[in-house]
Amino acid sequence: MSDRILVVEDEPKIANLLRRGLLYEGYAVDVAADGESGLQMARDNPPDLVILDVMLPGIDGLEVCRRLRAASDVPIVMLTAKDSIPDRVAGLDSGADGYISKPFSFEEMLARIRALLRRVRVTTTSREEIRFGDLTLNYATREVLRGNRRLDLTAKEFDVLQLFMQHPRQVLTRDIIYERIWDYDFGGESNIIEVYVRYLRTKLESNGEPRLLQTVRGVGYVLREE
Ligand code: CA
């Protein structure tokens, strides 16, 4: 059964980004636009994790966090305004397990969710590695191997490759890649994806290995053997 994530966020743009992205990753998702309905949903359908905005109409996120915490140990990620240290401190004080400040990228959020769910579920087999062909990517150590060769990737290169490895043989459009790796306010008009794909290919193929990141003209890219 898939993990259920409750998103409590009143900004439709962010709520939709999270809902779409999390559904795509195979999570069950409930969205509440205010604290009152968020608490109600958490009672009716207990979530495995809660993403909770601090600034909400009605009962604010901190109070929602305290009430959720009083009722269960569910992991809670707070969404805070950019650089708001007081929000972060208050969030952790009210029982949140962590915070992410806006604007965030979906991959950043996903990494946080996976880490928290993994921590909760120590007994089940946690998959720390994913493989595709002769590529191995380790989430925990952020190490990538092609065969026995270790690749030296930057943080962003790692994120881009991880996205492809989580969706092997699936064409990823430019929009999806922008939305996942860069934040939702990113312009999307630059050639940044092309640049990163070029960097990755150079590193992936430096020993003359066959190409794994293929271009799908006019659409995007796909990880597959030629
Ligand atoms: Ca808000």
Side-chain angles (χ1 to χ4, degrees), residues 137-151:
L137 179 147
N138 188 305
Y139 294 121
T141 61
R142 291 182 74 85
E143 204 173 65
V144 178
L145 298 173
R146 177 132 203 202
N148 294 323
R149 185 166 65 83
R150 182 139 143 219
L151 307 187

Side-chain angles (χ1 to χ4, degrees), residues 60-216:
D60 75 9
L62 298 174
E63 182 54 29
V64 173
C65 185
R66 276 189 285 270
R67 293 191 197 177
L68 284 171
R69 186 49 78 236
S72 86
D73 289 330
V74 64
I76 302 171
V77 183
M78 303 282 304
L79 286 176
T80 64
K82 194 171 190 264
D83 300 328
S84 171
I85 307 284
D87 274 1
R88 291 177 192 176
V89 172
L92 296 175
D93 279 352
S94 59
D97 297 276
Y99 58 83
I100 284 197
S101 59
K102 298 176 179 181
F104 58 89
S105 75
F106 185 79
E107 283 305 304
E108 188 184 354
M109 176 59 84
L110 201 54
R112 188 63 62 87
I113 289 170
R114 288 204 178 101
L116 282 172
L117 288 175
R118 205 160 44 226
R119 204 168 78 196
V120 168
R121 205 170 298 106
V122 276
T123 49
T124 61
T125 50
S126 69
R127 278 207 324 162
E128 302 231 309
E129 275 186 1
I130 39 175
R131 289 161 190 270
F132 180 82
D134 60 352
L135 267 184
T136 310
L137 179 147
N138 188 305
Y139 294 121
T141 61
R142 291 182 74 85
E143 204 173 65
V144 178
L145 298 173
R146 177 132 203 202
N148 294 323
R149 185 166 65 83
R150 182 139 143 219
L151 307 187
D152 185 20
L153 303 184
T154 64
K156 272 284 189 255
E157 289 167 356
F158 181 93
D159 291 344
V160 174
L161 185 61
Q162 175 174 287
L163 179 62
F164 280 104
M165 288 188 72
Q166 281 160 351
H167 303 282
R169 297 183 195 88
Q170 188 178 337
V171 177
L172 299 182
T173 64
R174 296 165 49 88
D175 285 350
I176 287 272
I177 302 170
Y178 278 124
E179 191 172 281
R180 295 306 193 82
I181 306 295
W182 286 275
D183 68 61
Y184 45 84
D185 287 330
F186 193 84
E189 291 304 317
S190 77
N191 65 344
I192 193 157
I193 295 178
E194 286 70 19
V195 170
Y196 272 89
V197 166
R198 197 158 64 230
Y199 289 159
L200 276 171
R201 281 176 175 162
T202 303
K203 293 181 179 181
L204 288 166
E205 300 163 16
S206 68
N207 275 3
E209 294 98 331
R211 177 151 297 181
L212 293 176
L213 267 181
Q214 320 293 346
T215 303
V216 181

Side-chain angles (χ1 to χ4, degrees), residues 8-11 14 33 53-57 79 102:
V8 188
E9 166 63 272
D10 59 313
E11 286 169 64
I14 299 175
D53 189 30
V54 171
M55 296 290 288
L56 290 170
L79 286 176
K102 298 176 179 181

